[in-house]
Amino acid sequence: MAKLTKLDDIVSLCKRRGFIFQSSEIYGGLASCYDYGPLGVELKNNVKKAWWKNVVQMRDDVVGLDCSILMHPLVWKASGHADHFADLVAECKKCNTRTRVDHLKDKATDSAQEHTEHVAIAPGATQDLSKKVCPSCGATGNFTQPMPFKLMFETQMGANIEDSMTLYLRPETAQGIFANFRNVLDTTRVKIPFGIAQIGKSFRNEVTTKAFIFRTREFEQAELEFFCEPGTDDKWFEHWKEQRFNWYLNLGLKKENLRFREHEKDELAHYAKGCVDVEYKFPFGSGDWQELEGIANRTDYDLRQHQRGMRTLNAWYETKGDLSKIKLKEEAEDYLKGPLSYFDDEKKARYIPYVIEPSAGMDRSTLAFLVDAYDEEEVRGETRNILRFSSAIAPTKAGIFPLVNKDGMPETARNIFNDLKGRFNCAYDEKGAIGRRYRRQDEAGTPFCITVDGQTAQDQTVTVRERDSMNQIRVAIDQLKAYLRDKLDM
Ligand code: GAP
């Protein structure tokens, strides 16, 4: 029977096999930043490719975009991040450790109310921390009043002190899409309903980081902003819920480990009409179920806010770019005619589109795919570690081996490798006993292993071993490409 997966097993496999390393490890490591090694980069690229294929390539109503990470500071004033993107933290008076208030556990119940990525800051809200325990030193009820901790990383642009300005590393990719809404409308033939998709890095100075690549300070998001006519938003919300849930299932996540969680009314951002998380049952955390992706109905909030932001530009120049001194201009009375509004040619109506936003974490999905695929089984008295990845995301599609390093077998195996590698990501391996080479590929999640043996020279066939069943069949060399294409569905 398969053993219950522990995060430690996954972390250790990721390190041992070159999936994921701690950032700057040779300098003792940089907390909550990670590097993807040779197998990890293939895996994560495949996850991103699968998202792009499903959300952009397979549809005729979504186009792609790749925005810069650094954006005009007013973007973050208009989006609300500059003033409100913060976590509520309390400092332990005994050991000075700061912890997110929603991550503090009760002494008696050992429960925390952690749900969302970030808590909405309600100034003046009093919090009873008298029963909460410091996760660092164990002191109970010994906290300062909760205070907001800003999550955006700041940086400076420009060489001269006089004209250098403070910029922010984007905390989400979404705002780059809103800022380009008009550009996309003016340069393509899209008509509402349509979406703009983007995959890219985001940065948050998280207070609590945890569980490997689950919550990090630099991470990758895949976001879709789907623009639709007000009144059709509920329908599109349901459409995207279904699409996104099925995406995880089709890439191999087990159904029993996936669920939706509707946000409670008091969890919703003030502009959101509705929000649901796709949750995965991770083998760690205060509760098992953790957010993989959020799907939100953002209404017309962002486009309206950016119209206000554009009206605030002069004030921004006057304060020399000091966002704390700027108040966002009121909405223009004729905001419906503003530059981010949409004119529907057929209905002869103008409106600010509503937005449905599925927002997924690519690192977090990669972790879920790793955890879900991990398995251990006993084979002839030995433990076999396997990553049962679906073929679309497996980092390597086929391992190619000569059974022994003589009688022309390495040359034939190399020829096969050279023939297949342009089509599928393959690995050539001629070192060690064949059983060990199979095990190495099982542990990397490689669906097929191809072995050139003594019979190959006689009948031009090789053995093809399938990862999960370990069944072997003989396939003619000239049929290999078609065989793999069919089996891998690519
Ligand atoms: N634009 C909406 C947005 O950014 P979010 O719930 O803050 O919403 C969306 O983030 C997704 O991004 C999350 O569901 C999660 O998968 C991923 N994510 C957010 N913060 C993360 C972090 N610190 N580390 C890894 N992934 C993160």
Side-chain angles (χ1 to χ4, degrees):
M1 205 179 75
K3 194 178 102 178
L4 185 70
T5 310
K6 295 277 186 333
L7 184 65
D8 286 351
D9 295 334
I10 303 286
V11 175
S12 136
L13 180 135
C14 283
K15 170 90 204 279
R16 189 168 74 243
R17 293 308 315 275
F19 277 95
I20 299 167
F21 308 119
Q22 176 84 59
S23 162
S24 318
E25 201 179 272
I26 59 167
Y27 290 99
L30 182 65
S32 111
C33 293
Y34 290 91
D35 300 341
Y36 286 78
L39 285 176
V41 67
E42 297 292 342
L43 173 65
K44 189 169 151 193
N45 277 346
N46 289 343
V47 173
K48 289 191 283 180
K49 264 190 246 162
W51 186 91
W52 195 264
K53 184 171 179 187
N54 185 263
V55 173
V56 185
Q57 195 183 328
M58 299 295 284
R59 301 183 62 109
D60 60 4
D61 56 357
V62 177
V63 293
L65 198 68
D66 183 16
C67 308
S68 65
I69 287 170
L70 300 175
M71 296 181 74
H72 194 289
L74 263 187
V75 166
W76 308 113
K77 186 77 182 177
S79 69
H81 286 84
D83 296 327
H84 305 294
F85 194 54
D87 274 339
L88 214 50
V89 299
E91 190 169 315
C92 172
K93 289 183 190 160
K94 192 167 163 213
C95 71
N96 299 114
T97 301
R98 287 178 180 180
T99 310
R100 263 174 71 169
V101 170
D102 65 324
H103 286 187
L104 285 174
K105 287 180 181 169
D106 244 57
K107 188 175 186 176
T109 62
D110 198 35
S111 69
Q113 340 90 318
E114 177 188 357
H115 282 315
T116 49
E117 273 314 298
H118 298 291
V119 254
I121 302 297
T126 51
Q127 302 264 344
D128 179 9
L129 304 181
S130 59
K131 293 200 184 83
K132 301 290 181 192
V133 182
C134 171
S136 180
C137 71
T140 304
N142 200 9
F143 293 99
T144 60
Q145 267 308 303
M147 55 202 156
F149 176 80
K150 292 204 169 181
L151 296 169
M152 284 203 295
F153 282 104
E154 282 185 19
T155 188
Q156 296 296 313
M157 180 159 110
N160 301 315
I161 290 168
E162 317 84 64
D163 56 19
S164 97
M165 69 170 153
T166 302
L167 297 185
Y168 301 91
L169 302 189
R170 67 179 177 197
E172 62 173 20
T173 63
Q175 297 305 324
I177 296 179
F178 297 125
N180 279 290
F181 172 71
R182 189 79 245 167
N183 280 339
V184 174
L185 267 187
D186 290 347
T187 55
T188 65
R189 311 192 70 142
V190 290
K191 278 193 158 85
I192 276 181
F194 76 94
I196 306 179
Q198 157 157 243
I199 298 180
K201 291 264 184 168
S202 295
F203 302 82
R204 297 179 189 178
N205 195 5
E206 299 282 2
V207 181
T208 316
T209 55
K210 67 170 181 187
F212 201 32
I213 54 169
F214 179 83
R215 181 175 294 122
T216 51
R217 297 197 167 103
E218 174 178 344
F219 55 98
E220 232 169 332
Q221 288 184 310
E223 298 200 285
L224 168 70
E225 308 304 323
F226 193 83
F227 301 94
C228 61
E229 187 185 350
T232 64
D233 47 312
D234 290 341
K235 182 187 86 183
W236 284 111
F237 186 67
E238 291 306 317
H239 170 84
W240 283 108
K241 265 175 71 177
E242 189 189 327
Q243 289 288 311
R244 294 303 306 139
F245 200 83
N246 287 339
W247 182 78
Y248 292 103
L249 285 181
N250 292 338
L251 282 184
L253 290 194
K254 296 178 196 83
K255 200 166 184 191
E256 66 266 27
N257 292 337
L258 268 185
R259 72 173 188 192
F260 282 125
R261 190 184 69 80
E262 295 272 347
H263 281 216
E264 306 289 337
K265 282 272 168 290
D266 64 351
E267 275 180 81
L268 285 178
H270 61 279
Y271 53 81
K273 189 170 152 190
C275 188
V276 67
D277 289 342
V278 179
E279 290 191 333
Y280 180 75
K281 200 167 193 225
F282 279 103
F284 54 79
S286 49
D288 291 331
W289 292 96
Q290 305 276 349
E291 174 184 338
L292 268 188
E293 162 161 0
I295 302 162
N297 182 341
R298 298 181 71 119
T299 69
D300 55 2
Y301 173 80
D302 301 273
L303 292 176
R304 284 171 71 159
Q305 283 294 100
H306 285 301
Q307 287 198 157
R308 293 178 65 193
M310 290 157 80
R311 285 161 56 79
T312 311
L313 196 55
N314 283 342
W316 181 80
Y317 281 120
E318 280 158 22
T319 60
K320 296 197 168 61
D322 183 347
L323 287 190
S324 64
K325 296 198 182 121
I326 301 171
K327 198 167 167 301
L328 211 59
K329 278 267 192 306
E330 289 302 321
E331 192 161 56
E333 274 184 24
D334 60 349
Y335 73 92
L336 276 177
K337 292 192 180 145
L340 302 184
S341 68
Y342 177 82
F343 185 70
D344 188 323
D345 271 333
E346 277 160 33
K347 296 194 172 154
K348 305 285 177 239
R350 188 174 277 282
Y351 54 84
I352 310 267
Y354 266 38
V355 172
I356 307 301
E357 177 196 66
S359 172
M362 290 292 96
D363 308 85
R364 211 172 268 191
S365 314
T366 299
L367 181 59
F369 287 120
L370 272 163
V371 169
D372 215 74
Y374 185 80
D375 199 3
E376 289 177 10
E377 64 180 20
E378 290 292 308
V379 179
R380 288 184 287 280
E382 270 185 36
T383 303
R384 176 169 94 112
N385 292 336
I386 329 154
L387 285 169
R388 299 189 194 273
F389 289 133
S390 78
S391 54
I393 59 168
T396 312
K397 309 302 182 202
I400 298 151
F401 321 137
L403 181 64
V404 287
N405 289 315
K406 60 181 186 186
D407 303 334
M409 291 184 214
E411 290 74 11
T412 309
R414 275 251 169 236
N415 285 342
I416 293 173
F417 172 69
N418 289 336
D419 186 39
L420 294 180
K421 70 182 182 191
R423 174 94 204 185
F424 314 103
N425 193 36
C426 296
Y428 177 81
D429 188 2
E430 58 181 23
K431 293 199 183 74
I434 191 75
R436 289 184 70 93
R437 280 182 267 168
Y438 285 148
R439 294 286 180 274
R440 272 183 71 75
Q441 294 303 328
D442 290 342
E443 211 181 36
T446 308
F448 293 100
C449 288
I450 298 165
T451 305
V452 172
D453 57 17
Q455 197 179 319
T456 307
Q458 293 155 26
D459 64 4
Q460 297 299 301
T461 64
V462 289
T463 63
V464 177
R465 172 192 180 268
E466 201 263 327
R467 177 194 66 207
D468 295 347
S469 63
M470 293 186 285
N471 286 341
Q472 299 193 14
I473 58 163
R474 290 205 82 84
V475 176
I477 292 176
D478 61 5
Q479 292 300 311
L480 266 178
K481 214 182 256 176
Y483 178 86
L484 289 179
R485 231 178 10 227
D486 181 45
K487 290 284 176 191
L488 295 167
D489 195 19
M490 28 191 349

